[in-house]
Amino acid sequence: MTCEDRFLSQLHQRGFRFTPQRRAILQVMHLLDAPDTAEVILQRALAVTAGINRSTVYRTLEVLSDLGLVSVIDAADDQRHYLLMGDEEPHIHLVCQSCGSVTAVSFTKHDGLVNHLWDEHHFKVNTSSFTISGICRDCLEKQQPHRDTA
Amino acid sequence: MTCEDRFLSQLHQRGFRFTPQRRAILQVMHLLDAPDTAEVILQRALAVTAGINRSTVYRTLEVLSDLGLVSVIDAADDQRHYLLMGDEEPHIHLVCQSCGSVTAVSFTKHDGLVNHLWDEHHFKVNTSSFTISGICRDCLEKQQPHRDTA
DNA sequence: CTCTATGCAAAGCTTTTGCACGTTA
DNA sequence: TAACGTGCAAAAGCTTTGCATAGAG
């Protein structure tokens, strides 16, 4: 089942409609390999379907998020970032506080943390928006150009 | 060395000044047991020292953050949250996406994750703002009042 | 034909900034 | 007394909302 099929069926189930704008946004989001902002998604969607409005992007992202097809990442200080949850497994997103880059890391080695938080605190981790802040490799090297070891 | 002493000495070291407003904000932040918003900090600071301005709160929080005395948490969809880093060890903050509550959890059992991200990706995790989104116990129970097991 | 979605523009909210005045050291 | 900090108000930036119209089912 493709992502578009899932979207369509879930829209229908809940009485929503499938418009060219929603199709364009979904299509654009398939091309993103990292979480991106509403503004970027808007600009790319405009290239696909002219005239799409910023409000429509926000409203569609909200629908996609409600349906669980999009995860929302609160990156650093600035805007929200959105990422389509394809049929892939959840990832940890490493957000660099210096340059804003986002790196996806497999989750599978770390589900111990998720299980622990559930067992001990009955806290249900939202694995689709698991974000960790820090400094990425590149920025570290720029900060400490002459140190090679930790 | 108290937190205020540390603040004072670090301010002096860097040529900053110790004003009644900064003292009030520092004092108020000692009373917070969970990260809170600039607005809340402002309101409480007003009770201590009348006339403090919102801008001053933001500017002081920035100074405190630069000095490493305050950690900044990007909670859920809304505002930034600020927490004084006392002399305590780092914590994981569990942010509930439903009610916005924040729970602090000891980090020590999970530094394996931090080490792994360093070894494998050379990503330096900012442990002072480690935040995980999900649904807290209370909100889970409200959602599923008749289910007791996961 | 009905009800949802869109576009537009304006408002909302948090956070930042410019500037003149007060205060600290 | 020389910087630095504060208050005020206005601006900035992202996101939301109201309303009339267009379009999907």
Side-chain angles (χ1 to χ4, degrees), chain A residues 39-52:
Chain A
E39 187 62 33
V40 168
I41 294 166
L42 167 64
Q43 294 309 326
R44 299 211 187 176
L46 279 171
V48 173
T49 299
I52 290 192

Side-chain angles (χ1 to χ4, degrees), chain A residues 15-138:
Chain A
F16 295 133
R17 291 174 185 174
F18 194 54
T19 64
Q21 289 88 342
R22 287 180 175 168
R23 199 168 66 77
I25 291 167
L26 196 66
Q27 182 178 333
V28 157
M29 293 200 71
H30 271 113
L31 304 175
L32 300 177
D33 45 319
D36 230 320
T37 64
E39 187 62 33
V40 168
I41 294 166
L42 167 64
Q43 294 309 326
R44 299 211 187 176
L46 279 171
V48 173
T49 299
I52 290 192
N53 191 267
R54 183 171 282 106
S55 316
T56 304
V57 171
Y58 279 108
R59 286 190 272 229
T60 299
L61 287 171
E62 190 184 0
V63 169
L64 285 164
S65 170
D66 285 350
L67 295 180
L69 287 170
V70 153
S71 70
V72 184
I73 315 276
D74 281 309
D77 283 355
D78 32 30
Q79 311 107 291
R80 265 169 255 176
H81 289 229
Y82 302 88
L83 180 67
L84 195 62
M85 303 298 294
D87 305 285
E88 23 176 356
E89 57 184 41
H91 283 93
I92 297 176
H93 292 112
L94 307 178
V95 177
C96 177
Q97 295 177 305
S98 176
C99 68
S101 68
V102 179
T103 309
V105 167
S106 166
F107 213 133
T108 45
K109 287 184 188 160
H110 301 292
D111 42 14
L113 173 60
V114 174
N115 293 334
H116 172 85
L117 292 176
W118 174 254
D119 293 341
E120 297 288 314
H121 304 277
H122 267 261
F123 185 87
K124 187 176 175 185
V125 173
N126 177 359
T127 53
S128 73
S129 64
F130 198 114
T131 306
I132 297 180
S133 297
I135 307 292
C136 72
R137 177 199 300 252
D138 290 349

Side-chain angles (χ1 to χ4, degrees), chain B residues 14-51:
Chain B
R14 299 171 59 162
F16 295 132
R17 293 176 185 172
F18 193 54
T19 65
Q21 289 88 343
R22 287 180 176 167
R23 199 169 65 76
I25 291 167
L26 196 64
Q27 183 178 332
V28 156
M29 292 198 74
H30 270 115
L31 304 176
L32 300 177
D33 44 316
D36 229 321
T37 65
E39 187 61 32
V40 168
I41 294 167
L42 167 63
Q43 294 307 327
R44 299 211 187 176
L46 279 171
V48 174
T49 299

Side-chain angles (χ1 to χ4, degrees), chain A residues 95-100 133-149, chain B residues 118 122-126:
Chain A
V95 177
C96 177
Q97 295 177 305
S98 176
C99 68
S133 297
I135 307 292
C136 72
R137 177 199 300 252
D138 290 349
C139 289
L140 275 176
E141 284 171 0
K142 280 176 204 150
Q143 282 177 17
Q144 312 184 333
H146 299 302
R147 297 192 55 187
D148 212 21
T149 53
Chain B
W118 174 254
H122 266 260
F123 185 86
K124 187 177 176 185
V125 173
N126 176 358

